[in-house]
Amino acid sequence: MEVTMDQLKELREMTGVSMMACKKALEESGGDIKKAVDVLRKKGEAKAVERGERSTGQGVIANYLHTNAKIGVMVQLGCETDFVAKNEEFQQVAKDIAMHIAAMNPLFLNPEDVSNELIEKEKEIWMAQLKDEGKKDEMIQNILVGKEKKFREESALMKQLFVKNNEMTIEKLILDLVNKMGENIKIVRFCRYSL
């Protein structure tokens, strides 16, 4: 069964779980959203699913200034309680995310946040390159789909491989922290400055 982008978005918004986990759960459940939530719960992502709706009004703002003083980052990591916000590990993860943002320069938080205007500009460039390489039109369309997906993921903080552990994404880092701390945690926003 082919999972649609609308189904993925709906399940992700309901649960806060990664797009890949949502896709697998939807495939296992035959596209049924309610069953997909149950699949996620059975796979141990239940705590994150249950917490996904809870408010993250507390948290910290962490910063990172690169040693050359030419790159600076501020990131807001939200959580539910002041107790977790004061936790040393929570604060360290926020600092690590700020350092990651300095190193990897994500443009957006999630792949779906990448603007259509930016995608269209990139597609023009990719199409010109592919035509110069002599690719056929029907082949170009398939390649563009893959390039768009890759561009969205590389531009999105949540999908990037964590610089301190390239075996996990930032999304997985947050999910692990949610499960460890016992409450909803999310990156609210970030800003990166560079000279």
Side-chain angles (χ1 to χ4, degrees):
M1 127 128 227
E2 187 70 27
V3 174
T4 69
M5 199 60 172
D6 288 338
Q7 289 172 310
L8 277 174
K9 282 182 183 177
E10 185 179 347
L11 185 58
R12 184 167 174 19
E13 284 170 14
M14 282 175 65
T15 64
V17 176
S18 75
M19 291 293 264
M20 187 56 75
C22 287
K23 183 177 183 206
K24 288 178 184 173
L26 282 165
E27 287 170 349
E28 283 183 41
S29 67
D32 185 307
I33 302 262
K34 288 180 182 173
K35 287 181 183 174
V37 170
D38 291 337
V39 168
L40 289 171
R41 286 187 170 140
K42 288 175 187 170
K43 289 191 172 187
E45 303 200 31
K47 292 177 184 168
V49 170
E50 292 161 5
R51 294 184 187 109
E53 295 298 314
R54 299 195 325 219
S55 171
T56 55
Q58 295 295 317
V60 295
I61 295 175
N63 62 50
Y64 173 83
L65 183 62
H66 195 58
T67 53
N68 67 4
K70 294 190 184 268
I71 299 173
V73 173
M74 291 183 76
V75 63
Q76 180 182 352
L77 187 62
C79 61
E80 295 176 46
T81 64
D82 194 37
F83 177 76
V84 167
K86 291 178 180 177
N87 179 285
E88 196 175 306
E89 184 176 356
F90 177 86
Q91 293 181 2
Q92 185 59 52
V93 168
K95 289 175 186 172
D96 288 344
I97 291 170
M99 182 204 54
H100 172 93
I101 292 167
M104 300 306 292
N105 193 19
L107 302 173
F108 304 92
L109 184 57
N110 296 298
E112 56 270 18
D113 298 335
V114 179
S115 71
N116 289 332
E117 295 82 31
L118 181 57
I119 292 295
E120 290 309 312
K121 285 180 186 174
E122 292 297 318
K123 277 185 176 179
E124 286 176 23
I125 295 166
W126 299 330
M127 196 172 290
Q129 290 171 341
L130 292 168
K131 284 185 178 182
D132 285 349
E133 292 172 12
K135 304 282 187 211
K136 296 186 175 163
D137 285 345
E138 60 273 4
M139 190 183 235
I140 288 176
Q141 291 312 311
N142 290 334
I143 294 171
L144 287 178
V145 169
K147 282 187 171 287
E148 178 181 344
K149 181 179 185 294
K150 184 177 179 190
F151 180 78
R152 284 182 182 275
E153 289 181 356
E154 288 176 349
S155 301
L157 173 61
M158 296 300 279
K159 295 296 181 186
Q160 290 180 339
L161 291 175
F162 182 34
V163 292
K164 290 180 90 176
N165 178 357
N166 65 7
E167 307 253 324
M168 71 165 44
T169 62
I170 295 295
E171 188 170 49
K172 176 79 168 103
L173 176 70
I174 297 293
L175 184 60
D176 288 352
L177 194 60
V178 165
N179 287 326
K180 191 170 200 175
M181 297 292 164
E183 57 180 67
N184 192 17
I185 295 169
K186 66 180 177 183
I187 298 170
V188 178
R189 59 187 160 182
F190 66 90
C191 185
R192 182 183 188 273
Y193 298 95
S194 64
L195 294 177

